[in-house]
Amino acid sequence: MRTPPPPRLRGTLAPAAGFLAAALVLSGCQEVQTATAPAEDAADVTSVGLDGKTVSEGGDLVMALSAEPDVLDPTTSSSLYTRYVMETMCEKLYDIDAAGEIVPMLATELPQVSEDGRTVTFPLKKGVQFADGTPFDAEAVKTSIERHLTKEDSSRRSELGPITEVTAVDEHTVEIDYETPFAPIAAVLADRAGMIMSPTELEKTGDEFGEHPVCVGAFKFVERVPQTSITVERDPLYYDADTVHLDSITYRIITDASIRAANLRSGDVQVADTVSTQDLAELEADESVGLLEVGSLGYQAMTVNVGNTDGVGAPPGKIDTPIATDPRVRQALSMAVDREQLVKSVFNDRFDPACSPIAPASTFSTDASEACPEYDPEGAEALLEEAGVETPYKIEMKVTNTPDTLRLAQAVQASVADGGFDVEITPVEYSSLLEVQEQGDFDLLQLGWSGRVDPHGNMFNFLSTGAGNNYSGYSNPDVDDLLTEAATVIDPAERAELYGQVVSQVQEDNPIIYLYRTRSLTGYTNEVAGISTYADGVVRLSHAAFVEAGEG
């Protein structure tokens, strides 16, 4: 039986007739994680607070990361794990809170929007410095946003909408002008597009900024040892330094979930992301360990390469394979996946099947966006026969090389076999898989997206022609028009209807075959507190601290 969706998350509307439909921002590609108990038994636990605990100032907290982050550059990064690290170093203009509301961060108020919806204005904090001592001001914000818009390999350009000009009105006020109204702007600036980089460091390092990032944050970059660790230390120039308790944080790359769990139980690490189903029972039985758990508004999916011949963002090319050229083959693959059985067998019903980038919890959810193709292996085989494809149709699927992901891949492999597909599984290291999907070096690839409430963040960058995360190389003019129109609309119900039309078309074309929605599982020891994980999946450590034994 399908579990009920979580309560709808609330957004805070900006002024000007509620033009900005506030959205919970979630970002970053991620690999799968598994869980054990039915979803209906799982309640969200988003944080372990410091209230009532005795803080021990200082110390180095170690967090185990399940995958190595990609480049530490807000303009080009695409990994969820990169956001874990950047959360401590690169504050944004806006953020989300535990309730899913957009709140000011480096800005002091939500954006003000002109009557015609084409000019957005927001004020900035005063007395703020970057980690290198450069003043944080409107010119710095203008520099970062313009870099997002103009850098050749930017992943942010298509997220920001049709900007015509960015203006520093005065030292602490920024104005963005649009060609047409752009409803998701507050949500976009609560993600990596809202991370502001030091203009001094940008001028010094240019394209190499990610090797030594300098932003505004509770911590500042120290060093990165590839495949091993990333270290940040307390920034004495941080404007709210009194709320920072740790001396440093070391992000240790530990890709094996069982080793992460063992290090957590031994106390060698104090926080670990992506707890595996295989380790939950032992961790939950250990009184020295706690667990944060929160539902995701993202998705796990299979991406089909239908036109990514020259890298993401390039004009679509032609790939002469049945699955790339014939939508009936992709539709057959979607019909051959038994999503209900998948979440039961691999995840013990803790997760939900998904056929759409819009979560049922979203205020933009409609019957169209929640529609799911029926599992029909006989129908899938009939479609392959109609398409003139010899069965079993062989196709390679590239996946991350973790045990949990391989279990998922094997379950998909077994499911689609009854529909006439012979899937060959090729494991790839996570950071390498990110490069594979960007370069288009795949036929079929399994990765996920940590999601956003505003569908623009889950759809436009992935489905519009030439967008920054359109890894499939998909191009449909009708979808482009619908996505563009939806971003200009004020009324949420009208936007929802437009996004429902997009989902219906995408389910016919199937450049992305959506599988299920997951839950974020984060382990921590009771010697630390001040840790949070919201529905964006990001583990927040900026204000974490060591506490007296047994108080975590």
Side-chain angles (χ1 to χ4, degrees):
M1 182 177 70
R2 186 177 177 84
T3 57
R8 292 182 183 272
L9 296 172
R10 304 186 306 277
T12 301
L13 294 180
F19 172 76
L20 295 177
L24 173 61
V25 176
L26 307 160
S27 78
C29 290
Q30 62 182 43
E31 46 187 329
V32 301
Q33 58 184 342
T34 59
T36 55
E40 59 202 21
D41 294 335
D44 285 356
V45 180
T46 59
S47 64
V48 51
L50 290 171
D51 289 349
K53 299 177 175 64
T54 306
V55 171
S56 298
E57 295 290 343
D60 176 48
L61 184 147
V62 181
M63 177 178 177
L65 287 186
S66 56
E68 182 171 27
D70 63 355
V71 62
L72 300 176
D73 186 327
T75 303
T76 61
S77 69
S78 59
S79 166
L80 172 65
Y81 309 101
T82 303
R83 288 199 66 210
Y84 291 163
V85 180
M86 295 172 76
E87 180 273 331
T88 61
M89 297 190 300
C90 294
E91 290 195 349
K92 302 163 291 186
L93 293 169
Y94 299 96
D95 198 10
I96 63 166
D97 61 17
E101 295 189 7
I102 293 180
V103 294
M105 198 172 198
L106 290 175
T108 59
E109 298 176 8
L110 291 173
Q112 300 287 327
V113 184
S114 62
E115 286 189 12
D116 65 2
R118 294 172 57 188
T119 300
V120 179
T121 306
F122 48 89
L124 306 174
K125 286 185 184 297
K126 300 177 181 178
V128 175
Q129 298 180 72
F130 291 96
D132 60 2
T134 301
F136 167 79
D137 57 18
E139 285 293 341
V141 174
K142 172 181 165 70
T143 297
S144 286
I145 293 177
E146 288 181 341
R147 183 178 190 257
H148 294 329
L149 294 171
T150 60
K151 195 172 189 309
E152 185 176 354
D153 57 346
S154 172
S155 295
R156 310 282 83 84
R157 185 184 302 110
S158 55
E159 293 177 356
L160 282 159
I163 291 176
T164 58
E165 188 175 8
V166 182
T167 305
V169 177
D170 57 38
E171 190 176 358
H172 299 292
T173 308
V174 177
E175 183 177 279
I176 299 177
D177 291 318
Y178 277 95
E179 181 180 343
T180 56
F182 185 66
I185 181 59
V188 170
L189 295 178
D191 193 16
R192 280 170 288 206
M195 293 181 179
I196 309 304
M197 299 162 277
S198 164
T200 303
E201 188 66 20
L202 283 174
E203 185 175 359
K204 182 193 304 183
T205 59
D207 289 347
E208 307 306 316
F209 177 87
E211 295 185 6
H212 192 279
V214 178
C215 302
V216 175
F219 293 80
K220 61 181 180 178
F221 179 80
V222 175
E223 68 172 349
R224 179 173 191 164
V225 181
Q227 304 293 328
T228 302
S229 65
I230 298 172
T231 302
V232 300
E233 67 182 10
R234 186 199 309 236
D235 181 9
L237 299 180
Y238 182 55
Y239 64 89
D240 199 14
D242 290 345
T243 66
V244 182
H245 306 287
L246 300 169
D247 291 326
S248 63
I249 301 171
T250 299
Y251 295 90
R252 189 179 300 166
I253 316 303
I254 303 177
T255 58
D256 188 302
S258 62
I259 296 177
R260 287 198 304 279
N263 275 261
L264 192 65
R265 295 189 66 198
S266 69
D268 289 335
V269 305
Q270 289 79 49
V271 182
D273 81 301
T274 318
V275 171
S276 169
T277 183
Q278 306 302 307
D279 305 305
L280 269 180
E282 283 189 339
L283 291 177
E284 290 177 331
D286 190 332
E287 294 183 355
S288 69
V289 174
L291 188 70
L292 302 182
E293 178 172 2
V294 60
S296 170
L297 294 172
Y299 56 79
Q300 291 289 331
M302 298 184 293
T303 299
V304 184
N305 191 349
V306 299
N308 184 357
T309 56
D310 297 307
V312 67
K318 182 173 176 57
I319 299 175
D320 192 20
T321 62
I323 197 165
T325 60
D326 195 329
R328 292 173 296 183
V329 178
R330 300 191 296 274
Q331 184 180 358
L333 182 59
S334 180
M335 292 166 58
V337 179
D338 188 345
R339 293 169 176 81
E340 295 281 351
Q341 185 58 35
L342 195 71
V343 297
K344 289 178 182 178
S345 62
V346 182
F347 309 114
N348 289 348
D349 245 359
R350 188 149 193 154
F351 301 157
D352 281 326
C355 301
S356 161
I358 303 174
S362 170
T363 55
F364 297 98
S365 178
T366 61
D367 289 343
S369 69
E370 292 190 38
C372 205
E374 184 180 354
Y375 171 58
D376 184 2
E378 292 182 358
E381 279 199 299
L383 271 179
L384 292 178
E385 182 179 351
E386 180 183 315
V389 174
E390 181 179 349
T391 57
Y393 178 65
K394 295 185 178 182
I395 186 169
E396 178 189 30
M397 180 168 69
K398 294 184 177 180
V399 304
T400 54
N401 60 350
T402 63
D404 287 347
T405 305
L406 290 174
R407 280 192 290 274
L408 168 70
Q410 290 161 1
V412 171
Q413 181 187 55
S415 178
V416 301
D418 291 338
F421 290 89
D422 180 5
V423 172
E424 175 188 353
I425 300 168
T426 300
V428 181
E429 192 272 328
Y430 173 71
S431 59
S432 297
L433 193 61
L434 294 180
E435 295 179 5
V436 164
Q437 73 171 353
E438 288 182 3
Q439 296 166 0
D441 185 22
F442 67 95
D443 293 318
L444 183 66
L445 178 145
Q446 196 284 311
L447 271 175
W449 179 247
S450 50
R452 303 176 188 178
V453 165
D454 193 307
H456 179 85
N458 292 344
M459 301 171 74
F460 190 92
N461 230 25
F462 293 88
L463 297 168
S464 61
T465 303
N469 296 121
N470 189 340
Y471 304 116
S472 66
Y474 175 62
S475 179
N476 184 315
D478 291 338
V479 168
D480 292 344
D481 291 345
L482 287 167
L483 288 172
T484 299
E485 181 183 357
T488 71
V489 171
I490 296 173
D491 179 35
E494 187 178 347
R495 290 187 72 201
E497 196 275 332
L498 290 168
Y499 286 126
Q501 292 182 44
V502 174
V503 171
S504 296
Q505 184 60 58
V506 169
Q507 288 182 349
E508 291 183 19
D509 298 338
N510 286 295
I512 299 174
I513 298 172
Y514 304 95
L515 299 175
Y516 67 94
R517 305 191 197 285
T518 186
R519 294 179 69 80
S520 297
L521 302 169
T522 305
Y524 63 91
T525 66
N526 64 8
E527 63 182 317
V528 293
I531 302 161
S532 300
T533 303
Y534 300 155
D536 58 2
V538 176
V539 181
R540 289 164 163 78
L541 298 179
S542 288
H543 305 289
F546 285 95
V547 296
E548 294 295 329
E551 292 187 346

